[in-house]
């Protein structure tokens, strides 16, 4: 009798990192995979946290070897200029066994992924170069790498706490292909910080400094203060960053625009303005130059506030559309096309999607229902208003939490419509839940393993609702689905301004001088992650799906594109 | 109406001739006959008549399978290029696809039987609920494979369908015992696995089946016994119930009761919904699926 995997485990396969429930989906697409490369793919996945970059799969053996030699040369030259960062070391080491590989070796070894250290010690059966110089070089390199590795291990001890970067540390030497963790979860790694600083300097985007003492479990995330927006560091007139982007960045960092849909729509509108004001420099192509122009804007916006999954997908879409503009297209025409693309994206993915979702959701609301909502989700509010207009008889319980108190906005909107509402704080949840017949939650993003990322407190509500056997429905548009996989709320999150937690009651502000108390840390988390077992139904514009079918939707979407 | 007469006659005759045929299959056969005799001038007219016919059939036999089978049939025959200028050509294409669909689903029960019987080990004690032709086929295949096993069948009131199942199993020389519906918890510690049929498989991966199935699933979960469901693929339906209340009334009660009785609160529902968390595996002609893979298959079938 086989073992039943619990939901906290993940299956790491050569097809990707997947949740056990989604395992059978992989089988249906398994025909597209080639079995020879599964071992190498598995090795990649174990060290990867982001998507695999496949290089040169189709090259012939000769071409591959030539490429390896070139790479080795190139790296050697680069190495003399700078001190050796880890990734170059891997490329070096990887290319060491490469030229020693005889032409007769198995076709399973491709250009990009490279097998274990053991192959470096294999004696070559047939060599193209004279064996003596190769052995010499190898011995030299190995000595150098051993010393590097020793110093690197020492550095790594204090470093990363996020689980996804732990496999990066040790088997990193195997990988010539760089697996990049996003910058915003590597704050405690000085190397990554230096790289980020250099990149921002190059793009002339101000670097925002962290504020206050960070709780050690979250020290890999940024923590900014609202009193120091990055816009203060920009000189006027701004040359590199478009003014509408500066304004958008300020609105994000001050929390004036909040909420996944609002942020994405604002972003797209700002980009429309950017495209409108853009003019192609001479000797440049719009499709390439515009994408390069957008990069500093995106860096700036992520300094103001880390990008959400929906914004990431929107940016990917725009970049794709821009690079698909044919080169013979005139500038005016291209701009018009892009404006139309953005408009249709907003219309289809956000506005029409919410109409479709309301249609499905209203089927699930019956007369006499008591519906619980949490915080302020534009989509859930829209659904409830539509249902009320369609003469459904229900009442709503709005649950709210500090410090954002977003529930008050939701309450205001619903009461204005005429819906009967009750307002409680999240601490009263288990008291109020026996009355509730359904829970409607919004989502910030839906991850590839079926986990729901949403405002902090959502997973608590889902947990208690499950304990009381109340169905939990999550409403989410498909453009918020992302390829990332996460099982906990620590790896990738957002830390808000800790000063928000300070409150004045009866004239006394107890936490005013929290920075002076050495052992005190204030933690203001923004997101948390809900496992799919607590969610009964996800309503998307494609229909009603169980939480474990998110990878299916992602696959269908990729096929469409 | 003329249409209803045309429909009723083949349906009733088929069910009488061959009680082994699933009601959904008989319904689809009569839909095909109806299509052949349809006099409409346009494709839209054909589709409308088919939809009306399906509604009529649902009024006669309110099981989920008829509804899902009808819808899948309609989708399958129209999921082809109907760009021919001549209507009779289009109609022939549709009829051809209809025949193909019918042939496929007539074979589905055999496929399910072949898949599932390997899960029955020698010396197994099996618990099943009410009377299901698919489960019967599975047990038949297992017996033909020279496996020794005993079967416990619940009585399944109010129509005592379990006793019918026991009779059929007895004819196959399989040792069978009839137990009370209330004795499921009592018998659960003795059995090794539970196999039930399904009237409908819903989007979440749960099943709709004769009343009493949900109880059996909860008991088997509590005793850690595997709970297997066997169903043909035409039973996949685009419903997503959240709980027992959420199953539409038109499936819960028999068709004639829906028409005659005013206050449904006094009636006993004939079906219940078993959520996917209680089901171990589903055996279908599309393969052996986990409950979460059902949604994948449904997306493929319907989208």
């Amino acid at each position: 009798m086989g073992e039943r995997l619990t939901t906290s485990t993940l299956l790491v396969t050569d097809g990707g990192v997947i949740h056990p429930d989604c395992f059978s989906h992989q089988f249906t697409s398994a025909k597209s995979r080639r079995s020879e490369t599964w071992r190498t793919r598995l090795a990649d996945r174990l060290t990867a946290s982001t998507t695999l970059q496949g290089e040169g799969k189709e090259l012939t053996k000769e071409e591959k070897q030539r490429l390896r030699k070139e790479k080795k040369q190139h790296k050697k030259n680069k190495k003399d200029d700078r001190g050796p960062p880890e990734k170059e070391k891997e490329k070096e080491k990887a290319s060491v066994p490469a030229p020693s590989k005889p032409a007769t070796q198995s076709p399973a070894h491709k250009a990009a992924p490279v097998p274990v250290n053991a192959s470096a010690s294999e004696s070559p059966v047939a060599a193209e170069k004279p064996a003596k110089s190769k052995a010499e070089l190898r011995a030299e390199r190995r000595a150098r790498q051993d010393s590097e590795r020793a110093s690197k291990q020492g550095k790594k001890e204090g470093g990363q706490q996020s689980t996804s970067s732990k496999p990066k540390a040790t088997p990193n030497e195997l990988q010539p292909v760089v697996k990049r963790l996003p910058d915003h979860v590597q704050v405690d790694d000085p190397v990554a910080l230096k790289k980020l600083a250099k990149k921002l300097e190059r793009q002339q985007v101000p670097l925002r400094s962290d504020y206050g003492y960070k709780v050690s479990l979250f020290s890999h995330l940024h923590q900014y203060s609202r009193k120091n927006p990055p816009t203060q560091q920009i000189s006027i007139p701004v040359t590199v960053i478009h003014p509408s982007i500066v304004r958008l960045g300020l609105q994000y960092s001050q929390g004036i625009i909040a909420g996944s849909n609002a942020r994405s729509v604002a972003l797209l509108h700002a980009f429309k303005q950017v495209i409108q004001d853009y003019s192609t420099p001479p000797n440049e192509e719009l499709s390439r130059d515009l994408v390069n122009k957008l990069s500093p804007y995106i860096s700036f916006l992520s300094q103001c506030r880390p990008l959400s999954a929906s914004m990431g997908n929107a940016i990917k879409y725009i970049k794709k559309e821009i690079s698909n503009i044919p080169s013979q297209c005139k500038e005016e025409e291209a701009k018009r096309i892009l404006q139309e693309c953005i408009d249709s994206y907003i219309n289809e993915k956000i506005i029409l999607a919410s109409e479709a979702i309301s249609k499905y959701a209203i089927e699930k609301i019956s007369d006499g229902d008591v519906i619980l909502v949490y915080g302020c989700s534009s989509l859930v509010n829209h659904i409830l208003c539509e249902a009320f207009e369609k003469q459904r008889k229900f009442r709503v319980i709005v649950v709210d939490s500090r410090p954002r108190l977003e529930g008050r906005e939701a309450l205001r909107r619903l009461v204005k419509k005429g819906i009967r509402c009750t307002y409680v704080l999240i601490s009263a949840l288990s008291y109020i839940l026996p009355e509730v017949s359904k829970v409607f939650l919004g989502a910030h993003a839906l991850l590839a393993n079926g986990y729901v990322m949403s405002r902090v407190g959502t997973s608590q509500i889902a947990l208690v609702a499950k304990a009381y056997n109340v169905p939990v429905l999550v409403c989410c548009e498909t453009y918020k689905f992302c390829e990332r996989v996460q099982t906990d709320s620590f790896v990738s999150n957002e830390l808000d301004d800790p000063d928000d937690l300070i409150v004045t009651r009866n004239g006394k502000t107890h936490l005013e001088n929290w920075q002076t108390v050495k052992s005190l840390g204030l933690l203001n988390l923004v997101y948390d992650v809900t496992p799919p077992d607590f969610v009964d139904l996800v309503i998307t514009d494609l229909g009603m799906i169980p939480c474990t079918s998110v990878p299916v939707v992602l696959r269908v979407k990729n096929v469409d594109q | 109406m003329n249409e209803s007469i045309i429909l009723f006659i083949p349906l009733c005759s088929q069910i009488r001739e061959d009680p082994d045929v699933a009601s959904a299959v008989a319904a689809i056969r009569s839909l095909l006959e109806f299509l052949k005799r349809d006099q409409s001038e346009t494709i839209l007219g054909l589709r409308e008549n088919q939809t009306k016919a399906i509604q009529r059939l649902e009024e006669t036999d309110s099981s989920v399978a008829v509804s899902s089978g009808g819808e899948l049939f309609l989708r399958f025959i129209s999921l082809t290029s109907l760009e021919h200028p001549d209507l009779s050509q289009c109609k022939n294409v549709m009829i051809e696809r209809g025949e193909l669909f019918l042939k496929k689903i007539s074979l589905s029960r055999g496929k399910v039987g072949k898949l599932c019987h390997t899960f029955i080990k020698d010396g197994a004690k099996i618990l099943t609920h009410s009377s299901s032709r698919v489960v019967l086929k599975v047990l038949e295949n297992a017996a033909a494979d020279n496996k020794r096993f005993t079967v416990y069948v619940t009585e399944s009131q109010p129509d005592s369908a379990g006793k019918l199942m026991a009779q059929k199993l007895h004819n196959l020389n399989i040792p069978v015992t009839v137990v009370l519906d209330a004795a499921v918890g009592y018998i659960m510690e003795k059995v090794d696995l539970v196999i039930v049929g399904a009237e409908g498989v819903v989007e979440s991966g749960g099943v709709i089946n004769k009343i009493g199935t949900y109880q059996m699933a909860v008991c088997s979960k509590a005793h850690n016994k595997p709970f297997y469901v066997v169903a043909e693929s035409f039973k996949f339906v685009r419903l997503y119930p959240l709980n027992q209340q959420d199953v539409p009334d038109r499936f819960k009660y028999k068709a004639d009761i829906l028409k005659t009785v005013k206050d449904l609160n006094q009636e006993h529902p004939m079906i219940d919904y078993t959520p996917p968390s209680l089901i171990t595996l589903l055996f279908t002609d599309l393969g052996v699926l986990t409950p979460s893979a059902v949604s994948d298959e449904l997306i493929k079938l319907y989208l």
Side-chain angles (χ1 to χ4, degrees):
Chain A
M1 196 75 108
E3 234 187 83
R4 249 2 262 281
L5 297 167
T6 59
T7 49
S8 59
T9 57
L10 282 179
L11 288 172
V12 183
T13 70
D14 53 312
V17 183
I18 50 177
H19 188 275
D21 275 337
C22 311
F23 181 54
S24 39
H25 301 155
Q26 295 295 324
F27 267 119
T28 54
S29 57
K31 294 184 197 114
S32 57
R33 280 191 279 273
R34 285 176 287 174
S35 52
E36 313 130 33
T37 57
W38 74 265
R39 214 182 292 267
T40 49
R41 284 188 208 241
L42 196 54
D44 302 339
R45 287 288 165 186
L46 280 169
T47 60
S49 59
T50 51
T51 50
L52 185 69
Q53 296 172 26
E55 288 174 12
K57 285 188 184 127
E58 326 299 72
L59 303 174
T60 63
K61 255 170 254 142
E62 294 78 49
E63 287 179 50
K64 278 185 238 161
Q65 276 161 354
R66 203 177 12 96
L67 261 180
R68 281 180 210 136
K69 276 185 224 154
E70 283 172 20
K71 251 203 246 173
K72 195 179 60 154
Q73 274 306 101
H74 177 66
K75 290 303 164 195
K76 215 174 156 194
N77 297 340
K78 259 209 216 158
K79 211 171 59 79
D80 297 346
D81 302 5
R82 320 192 217 152
E86 317 152 18
K87 288 149 197 140
E88 315 225 6
K89 273 295 110 196
E90 300 142 24
K91 280 209 169 60
E92 280 254 57
K93 265 198 83 187
S95 44
V96 164
S100 71
K101 235 181 295 226
T104 53
Q105 219 167 21
S106 69
H109 294 294
K110 308 238 169 192
V114 157
V116 206
N117 283 345
S119 65
S121 50
E122 271 175 51
S123 51
V125 173
E128 295 131 40
K129 293 188 183 170
K132 191 173 142 209
S133 63
K134 212 172 356 129
E136 265 184 333
L137 283 169
R138 245 193 295 137
E140 266 182 69
R141 279 195 202 101
R142 210 170 310 145
R144 229 184 295 128
Q145 280 150 17
D146 282 338
S147 56
E148 303 258 326
R149 212 181 312 152
S151 59
K152 202 184 5 159
Q153 287 297 52
K155 224 185 355 160
K156 277 272 182 276
E157 287 315 338
Q160 290 122 359
Q161 288 144 14
S162 47
T163 49
S164 52
S165 53
K166 270 208 182 79
K168 185 178 185 266
T170 36
N172 235 355
E173 290 102 334
L174 309 171
Q175 288 308 115
V177 177
V178 172
K179 302 284 186 289
R180 275 179 293 137
L181 277 176
D183 298 317
H184 68 272
V185 298
Q186 279 189 281
V187 176
D188 55 353
D189 183 13
V191 173
L193 272 183
K194 242 196 313 179
K195 272 187 70 187
L196 176 66
K198 264 197 224 148
K199 180 175 119 183
L200 290 179
E201 211 183 289
R202 201 174 8 110
Q203 291 176 334
Q204 295 176 327
V205 170
L207 174 66
R208 203 174 178 190
S209 49
D210 283 359
Y211 167 75
Y213 170 71
K214 276 191 275 187
V215 175
S216 64
L217 204 56
F218 292 94
S219 61
H220 61 284
L221 300 169
H222 284 293
Q223 184 171 275
Y224 298 130
S225 164
R226 199 158 292 141
K227 297 197 218 39
N228 275 349
T231 44
Q232 281 179 351
Q233 298 162 295
I234 302 181
S235 58
I236 296 173
V238 185
T239 44
V240 176
I241 304 179
H242 192 277
S244 61
I245 300 281
V246 176
R247 183 178 67 182
L248 188 66
L250 188 61
Q251 285 170 327
Y252 283 167
S253 65
Q254 300 301 96
I256 298 171
I257 294 186
S260 181
N261 279 344
R263 284 164 73 189
S264 307
V265 172
L267 176 75
L268 290 168
H269 281 304
F271 275 174
K272 269 174 71 175
Q273 188 64 40
V274 166
I275 291 173
Q276 188 63 35
D277 297 339
Y278 170 77
S279 51
T280 326
N283 301 334
E284 290 278 2
E285 261 194 52
L286 181 134
S287 55
R288 263 170 247 158
D289 188 56
L290 187 52
V291 179
N292 293 341
K293 280 274 187 324
L294 289 180
S295 301
Y297 301 164
I298 295 167
S299 308
F300 173 70
L301 289 175
S302 57
Q303 284 294 296
C304 294
R305 194 176 161 189
L307 297 179
S308 65
S310 50
M311 287 164 71
N313 286 344
I315 290 171
K316 252 190 257 175
Y317 172 78
I318 292 182
K319 284 193 176 167
K320 191 173 74 103
E321 286 302 314
I322 294 175
S323 42
N324 280 348
I325 299 269
S327 44
Q328 62 269 29
C329 206
K330 285 181 39 181
E331 189 173 312
E332 289 308 316
E333 179 69 19
K335 282 195 204 178
R336 194 186 55 81
I337 292 177
L338 288 173
Q339 308 270 21
E340 266 175 29
C341 282
I342 293 181
D343 279 333
S344 74
Y345 187 82
I346 294 179
N347 200 29
E348 270 174 34
K349 306 276 180 180
I350 302 178
I351 299 176
L352 288 178
S354 79
E355 295 292 322
I357 294 177
S358 313
K359 199 168 64 88
Y360 289 120
I362 287 173
E363 286 170 33
K364 287 290 167 208
I365 299 179
S366 24
D367 287 341
D369 261 348
V370 179
I371 298 178
L372 187 128
V373 298
Y374 177 63
C376 183
S377 164
S378 54
L379 187 54
V380 174
N381 291 341
H382 183 254
I383 290 172
L384 293 177
C385 295
E386 287 278 307
F388 189 72
E389 267 170 38
K390 294 225 162 57
Q391 314 298 332
R392 292 277 198 276
K393 308 272 175 295
F394 60 92
R395 67 183 178 90
V396 176
I397 299 180
V398 179
V399 177
D400 203 6
S401 71
R402 278 195 66 228
R404 286 178 172 235
L405 292 173
E406 287 169 330
R408 296 190 177 179
E409 174 62 28
L411 187 67
R412 195 181 61 83
R413 289 188 205 173
L414 295 174
V415 169
K416 205 159 146 200
K417 228 23 176 136
I419 303 176
R420 271 176 48 211
C421 296
T422 312
Y423 177 82
V424 290
L425 288 180
I426 196 165
S427 26
L429 186 62
S430 56
Y431 171 76
I432 201 95
L433 221 85
E435 290 180 22
V436 174
S437 63
K438 291 191 177 72
V439 177
F440 272 77
L441 298 172
H444 169 85
L446 237 64
L447 305 174
N449 56 346
Y451 280 64
V452 178
M453 185 176 214
S454 187
R455 185 67 80 220
V456 66
T458 311
S459 64
Q460 204 176 324
I461 296 204
L463 175 68
V464 182
K466 186 76 178 179
Y468 281 89
N469 244 346
V470 175
V472 174
L473 289 78
V474 170
C475 308
C476 183
E477 300 95 335
T478 47
Y479 86 106
K480 287 183 190 162
F481 285 22
C482 75
E483 299 268 343
R484 224 170 52 199
V485 170
Q486 223 179 298
T487 52
D488 57 56
S489 316
F490 300 110
V491 160
S492 174
N493 207 325
E494 198 186 315
L495 293 176
D496 212 358
D497 192 350
D499 291 337
D500 283 348
L501 294 179
I502 303 175
V503 68
T504 308
R505 288 234 168 81
N506 303 331
K508 277 191 280 200
T509 315
H510 291 281
L511 288 173
E512 204 162 12
N513 302 316
W514 69 276
Q515 305 247 32
T516 54
V517 183
K518 287 286 178 234
S519 51
L520 180 63
L522 294 187
L523 183 64
N524 189 358
L525 278 178
V526 181
Y527 298 117
D528 71 11
V529 156
T530 309
D533 334 327
F534 297 150
V535 177
D536 290 298
L537 173 61
V538 176
I539 309 181
T540 69
D541 37 317
L542 290 177
M544 297 191 272
I545 58 173
C547 221
T548 45
S549 286
V550 169
V552 180
V553 171
L554 281 170
R555 203 175 68 215
V556 166
K557 269 202 328 176
N558 287 340
V559 164
D560 284 343
Q561 283 163 7
Chain B
M1 302 222 61
N2 288 337
E3 302 129 32
S4 32
I5 299 175
I6 295 173
L7 279 174
F8 285 167
I9 296 176
L11 179 64
C12 300
S13 64
Q14 267 153 30
I15 293 184
R16 239 196 313 254
E17 278 164 23
D18 191 0
D20 209 25
V21 166
S23 53
V25 176
I28 290 170
R29 235 179 251 161
S30 28
L31 280 175
L32 195 57
E33 287 299 315
F34 183 64
L35 178 62
K36 285 183 189 156
R37 288 174 213 180
D38 201 344
Q39 308 279 358
S40 327
E41 301 291 312
T42 63
I43 295 186
L44 190 60
L46 281 172
R47 280 186 70 94
E48 266 179 27
N49 282 342
Q50 285 290 302
T51 326
K52 265 192 258 171
I54 294 174
Q55 271 171 0
R56 272 292 147 74
L57 282 169
E58 278 176 22
E59 279 171 27
T60 335
D61 183 354
S62 67
S63 66
V64 184
V66 169
S67 156
S68 68
E71 203 189 325
L72 279 169
F73 175 74
L74 193 56
R75 276 173 183 270
F76 191 80
I77 60 175
S78 23
L79 192 71
T80 169
S81 144
L82 290 169
E83 300 291 320
H84 310 279
D86 192 8
L87 179 71
S88 58
Q89 230 181 340
C90 289
K91 212 168 141 193
N92 286 339
V93 168
M94 286 170 80
I95 290 175
E96 227 178 274
R97 283 186 70 84
E99 303 273 356
L100 185 63
F101 187 70
L102 203 54
K103 202 164 60 156
K104 234 174 31 145
I105 61 177
S106 324
L107 298 171
S108 54
R109 202 186 289 165
K111 281 193 215 166
V112 178
K114 258 197 287 233
L115 267 179
C116 186
H117 79 268
T118 49
F119 278 70
I120 299 176
K121 299 196 178 63
D122 212 12
K125 297 199 196 60
I126 303 171
L127 175 62
T128 184
H129 184 63
S130 185
S131 170
S132 164
R133 285 173 281 234
V134 192
V135 176
L136 189 63
K137 184 88 181 144
V138 167
L139 295 176
E140 213 180 294
N141 283 10
D145 211 15
N146 289 328
K147 292 212 180 111
R148 281 170 293 191
F149 54 91
T150 52
V151 180
Y152 296 93
V153 188
T154 53
E155 230 183 10
S156 173
Q157 298 293 358
D159 54 2
S160 294
K163 295 206 177 128
L164 201 67
M165 180 79 161
Q167 186 59 42
K168 288 191 213 164
L169 285 169
H170 190 71
N171 293 342
L172 291 168
N173 291 326
I174 297 174
V176 57
T177 318
V178 177
V179 299
L180 292 174
D181 294 337
V184 167
Y186 170 79
I187 205 82
M188 193 55 75
E189 59 186 36
K190 282 200 214 164
V191 300
D192 297 319
L193 65 150
V194 184
I195 306 183
V196 298
E199 292 205 19
V201 178
V202 295
E203 274 187 75
S204 58
V207 290
I208 293 184
N209 199 20
K210 187 78 183 296
I211 190 103
T213 314
Y214 178 50
Q215 251 156 247
M216 200 179 275
V218 173
C219 275
S220 64
K221 182 82 175 191
H223 284 263
N224 284 325
K225 309 282 179 181
F227 186 83
Y228 298 131
V229 173
V230 286
E232 301 100 314
S233 63
F234 61 81
K235 291 184 176 157
F236 282 24
V237 66
R238 289 220 80 173
L239 269 182
Y240 203 127
L242 296 170
N243 45 29
Q244 306 296 337
Q245 305 290 82
D246 222 10
V247 180
D249 275 342
R250 67 179 197 273
F251 295 133
K252 277 197 203 160
Y253 308 99
K254 282 211 184 317
D256 34 353
I257 294 184
L258 278 172
K259 278 186 258 187
T260 52
V261 170
K262 300 286 175 190
D263 185 14
L264 285 171
N265 281 333
Q266 299 293 326
E267 290 298 317
H268 301 290
M270 295 298 287
I271 56 160
D272 63 18
Y273 164 67
T274 307
S277 49
L278 301 172
I279 300 174
T280 322
L281 284 177
L282 282 118
F283 295 92
T284 69
D285 50 319
L286 301 166
V288 183
L289 306 172
T290 57
S292 32
V294 169
S295 169
D296 194 353
E297 294 299 325
L298 266 168
I299 291 178
K300 274 198 258 176
L301 277 176
Y302 275 99
L303 279 178

